Amino acid sequence: MADLAFLWHMHQPDYRHPESGHFVLPWVLLHAIKDYSDMASHLERHPGVRCTVNFVPVLLDQIEDYCDQLATRQWRDPLLRIAAHPAPDELTPEDRAWLLDMAFRCHAPTMLEPFAPYRRLRDLLAFVRVQDANALSYLSGHYYADLATWFLLAWTGESLRRDGQVVPELMAKGDAFTLADRQRLLAELGGVLAGLIPRYRALGECGQVELSCTPANHPLAPLLIDFGTAREAWPESTLPSAPEYPGGRSRVQAHLAAAVASHAQRFGKAPSGLWPAEGALSAPFLNQIGDAGFRWTASSHGVLRHSAGNQAPTTIPWQPPEGTPGDLTLFFRNEHLSDLIGFEYARWHGRDAAQHFMTELKAIHIRDKEALIPVFLDGENAWEYYPYNAWYFFSDLYDTLENNSAIRTVTLSQAAATQRTRRTRLPRLTAGSWVYGTLSTWIGNPDKNRAWDLLCEVKQCADRALQGDRLTPDERAAVERRLAVCESSDWFWWLGDYNSPQSVACFDGLFRENLKSLYRLLRLPVPVGLDHPISHGGGSPESGGTMRRAT
């Protein structure tokens, strides 16, 4: 019997302004009410399907922040503040501008075009924008209230539309949403947010789902440890001016320890497995994962190919190279099957896509009756490109898998146990990620390298302050928390001319705000260079093909 091991990776970076605590972007909220909710619902409706779900602690932190906002009505997200405003005609110019900039950011063919009232709001704005400079002032509070409501409705998951009460009623009503309507919607969404972590914990406790983790703030650990690892799979890579990230190994250890603590607190026990940020592994990082007590970790076939040759199969688990601490099992994702779900099947009818996927699985099973089939991808960013948020694809796929006797779904810990005798020793590990098997998405571009240099400079200042006596214990803790946010891989992902200028500018600015905040926490002057954008359209040799980002 072949083992199919799904891993659904759930991650969003910290979108909160470092000093106000207000959300600059609403993607955690929107993915929570659409994707995290729907993915739990699919599993709850198909108890025979097993899989691994990976949560990054910084995402869970933000989900809990939204739970607090929706419980207390102390708004730190402008979308919620606008939706809850009792007198929309009195919205500030800043809130109006924010909503007009954000409220049509979605995949229009599946999330906007199907809804005539939402289309009307878009078309009204398009008409007004081509008039004179003051034309936007003619948009009433009624317009903004409806727009905020429809932005939330468009991002609700299919499970809420089918099983909820308020969402289908408001979608049918279409416009002229009252304060009472909006309050009912926020109350229902508050229930969704509050239920997410308990729902996944329950799925984990019954054994259907294994819950795994990622280092706390999603750092690109191989680069924190050694910039030179970028050249293992990409020898021509240019590197930052700084020779290394100061104290990188200890910072990786801190992220690992924080992830274990977060997981135990939220899900009741320590995690067995670790999905590294961006699937990025290196030999030194692997040693730290083993020392931390994890039983399995994973990456992609590109990394396996660079480490063991083009013919190395993903259909078996692997042992780390000799000398790696602990008893780790390594898994490498089947890129073809994972990318079919992530990028191809959105254009298919759900049933056809599910049947095609099963045909691909059966072909692997024919070649190897005991094959391991690892399918790893984001559990959040692909579904907006599917009709009905991939509801029909998952319904047909999970139905078929529950009734298939040749292919069983397993968690990765189950796969490590059932496939243990098939483990093969990896001769060496070449550092890389699940994007082309290299680290080029996070280093090697002039803008990315400049960002690393800026981070290295503030880290040196932080090290001096933390080794001295001038910071209080509370100040030291605040410095370490802010430093962890600055070390996220996402800042480096977005820099480069292959991303939209709008997204690059936003992440560039938020990264620099975090660096500025860290200097202030250290009671040091902020370098004037941080007032200027990092990104100048420097270009990148490659662009990612395994993940979609929220914006």
Side-chain angles (χ1 to χ4, degrees):
M1 183 180 294
D3 287 339
L4 171 61
F6 285 117
L7 182 146
W8 305 114
H9 173 52
M10 311 298 198
H11 167 61
Q12 294 293 316
D14 197 332
Y15 293 116
R16 294 170 291 190
H17 189 280
E19 297 185 349
S20 70
H22 290 184
F23 282 80
V24 176
L25 294 168
W27 303 120
V28 169
L29 168 67
L30 299 180
H31 282 293
I33 64 177
K34 185 169 79 71
D35 304 305
Y36 309 143
S37 177
D38 268 7
M39 293 297 278
S41 179
H42 294 313
L43 291 165
E44 289 161 348
R45 291 182 299 108
H46 297 90
V49 172
R50 285 168 171 71
C51 67
T52 301
V53 179
N54 189 82
F55 280 106
V56 183
V58 70
L59 168 62
L60 298 173
D61 291 344
Q62 293 175 93
I63 289 174
E64 290 177 345
D65 190 321
Y66 275 109
C67 290
D68 179 73
Q69 290 182 64
L70 287 157
T72 65
R73 297 300 194 257
Q74 299 296 311
W75 306 119
R76 293 178 292 278
D77 185 309
L79 177 55
L80 295 178
R81 183 171 63 245
I82 294 166
H85 203 294
D89 281 319
E90 298 173 12
L91 285 169
T92 66
E94 292 77 17
D95 277 350
R96 290 176 180 235
W98 184 91
L99 186 62
L100 294 182
D101 178 55
M102 287 296 306
F104 299 106
R105 292 201 200 180
C106 62
H107 185 58
T110 56
M111 298 176 68
L112 192 157
E113 297 296 346
F115 307 115
Y118 196 19
R119 291 199 310 270
R120 251 192 327 270
L121 295 170
R122 176 200 58 189
D123 295 344
L124 276 170
L125 179 61
F127 173 78
V128 169
R129 283 195 189 279
V130 299
Q131 309 306 312
D132 63 67
N134 296 318
L136 288 177
S137 64
Y138 288 94
L139 293 176
S140 69
H142 174 180
Y143 177 88
Y144 289 97
D146 279 7
L147 184 55
T149 304
W150 261 108
F151 191 32
L152 288 166
L153 291 174
W155 275 87
T156 53
E158 197 66 16
S159 55
L160 262 180
R161 296 174 184 180
R162 291 166 183 259
D163 302 327
Q165 183 69 32
V166 177
V167 170
E169 287 181 5
L170 295 186
M171 294 182 88
K173 182 176 181 179
D175 61 7
F177 299 118
T178 65
L179 176 60
D181 290 332
R182 290 179 275 121
Q183 289 174 334
R184 290 177 65 220
L185 176 60
L186 293 179
E188 181 148 308
L189 299 183
V192 172
L193 269 291
L196 282 177
I197 293 174
R199 288 171 74 187
Y200 280 101
R201 179 167 176 162
L203 287 166
E205 289 174 343
C206 74
Q208 183 181 355
V209 165
E210 177 178 3
L211 296 165
S212 61
C213 72
T214 293
N217 283 76
H218 209 263
L220 213 293
L223 295 178
L224 286 189
I225 297 169
D226 180 4
F227 290 149
T229 56
R231 288 180 169 166
E232 292 182 21
W234 181 29
E236 313 81 53
S237 176
T238 58
L239 300 180
S241 298
E244 64 179 2
Y245 184 67
R249 280 181 173 79
S250 64
R251 291 303 306 149
V252 169
Q253 180 58 39
H255 283 276
L256 288 170
V260 172
S262 160
H263 198 92
Q265 182 255 316
R266 282 150 171 155
F267 299 121
K269 62 179 182 178
S272 295
L274 178 103
W275 171 256
E278 316 292 3
L281 288 176
S282 66
F285 181 35
L286 202 59
N287 290 339
Q288 290 193 258
I289 295 170
D291 279 333
F294 289 97
R295 303 303 302 272
W296 63 260
T297 190
S299 188
S300 199
H301 190 210
V303 172
L304 177 61
R305 214 167 35 237
H306 290 148
S307 302
N310 290 334
Q311 302 308 311
T314 62
T315 50
I316 57 172
W318 291 78
Q319 285 182 279
E322 290 283 356
T324 305
D327 184 23
L328 274 172
T329 296
L330 298 182
F331 300 101
F332 296 96
R333 78 195 276 266
N334 182 308
E335 291 178 346
H336 171 63
L337 291 177
S338 302
D339 287 348
L340 280 175
I341 296 175
F343 298 99
E344 175 61 31
Y345 286 155
R347 296 189 285 267
W348 297 38
H349 289 291
R351 181 169 299 173
D352 293 341
Q355 289 176 347
H356 182 268
F357 188 80
M358 292 303 302
T359 300
E360 295 279 330
L361 297 181
K362 290 171 186 174
I364 295 172
H365 179 249
I366 290 170
R367 295 193 297 271
D368 180 356
K369 300 295 184 187
E370 299 180 349
L372 168 68
I373 309 170
V375 176
F376 309 158
L377 67 154
D378 278 2
E380 58 203 354
N381 288 323
W383 316 133
E384 67 191 80
Y385 299 89
Y386 281 72
Y388 302 98
N389 207 44
W391 182 268
Y392 291 104
F393 170 70
F394 275 109
S395 293
D396 286 322
L397 179 61
Y398 282 1
D399 279 346
T400 305
L401 287 169
E402 279 190 304
N403 296 293
N404 191 287
S405 59
I407 297 166
R408 65 184 170 190
T409 54
V410 296
T411 69
L412 284 170
S413 283
Q414 289 172 334
T418 61
Q419 299 262 342
R420 187 174 180 83
T421 59
R422 288 162 55 88
R423 289 200 306 179
T424 300
R425 178 75 67 182
L426 197 66
R428 65 188 179 93
L429 179 66
T430 300
S433 75
W434 68 347
V435 185
Y436 299 112
T438 74
L439 301 176
S440 60
T441 300
W442 301 272
I443 199 168
N445 164 282
D447 295 341
K448 298 175 193 292
N449 288 351
R450 174 61 179 150
W452 279 110
D453 284 331
L454 292 172
L455 180 56
C456 288
E457 289 165 11
V458 73
K459 177 59 162 60
Q460 289 176 330
C461 295
D463 286 347
R464 288 192 289 269
L466 292 170
Q467 290 162 11
D469 297 323
R470 65 187 182 85
L471 298 180
T472 68
D474 287 347
E475 288 172 332
R476 295 168 71 88
V479 164
E480 290 175 350
R481 286 195 299 271
R482 187 56 45 201
L483 180 61
V485 174
C486 293
E487 291 167 340
S488 168
S489 73
D490 297 85
W491 314 121
F492 306 94
W493 168 289
W494 282 104
L495 292 169
D497 66 356
Y498 54 91
N499 286 309
S500 73
Q502 183 182 41
S503 296
V504 171
C506 184
F507 278 83
D508 182 336
L510 191 51
F511 176 57
R512 288 182 289 109
E513 287 301 313
N514 276 285
L515 295 178
K516 291 177 186 179
S517 176
L518 185 48
Y519 277 107
R520 294 185 187 109
L521 289 170
L522 293 166
R523 292 191 254 144
L524 294 172
V526 176
V528 294
L530 290 179
D531 290 329
H532 305 290
I534 299 167
S535 181
H536 300 289
S540 174
E542 303 174 272
S543 61
T546 59
M547 299 177 69
R548 287 189 175 100
R549 297 299 196 192
T551 53

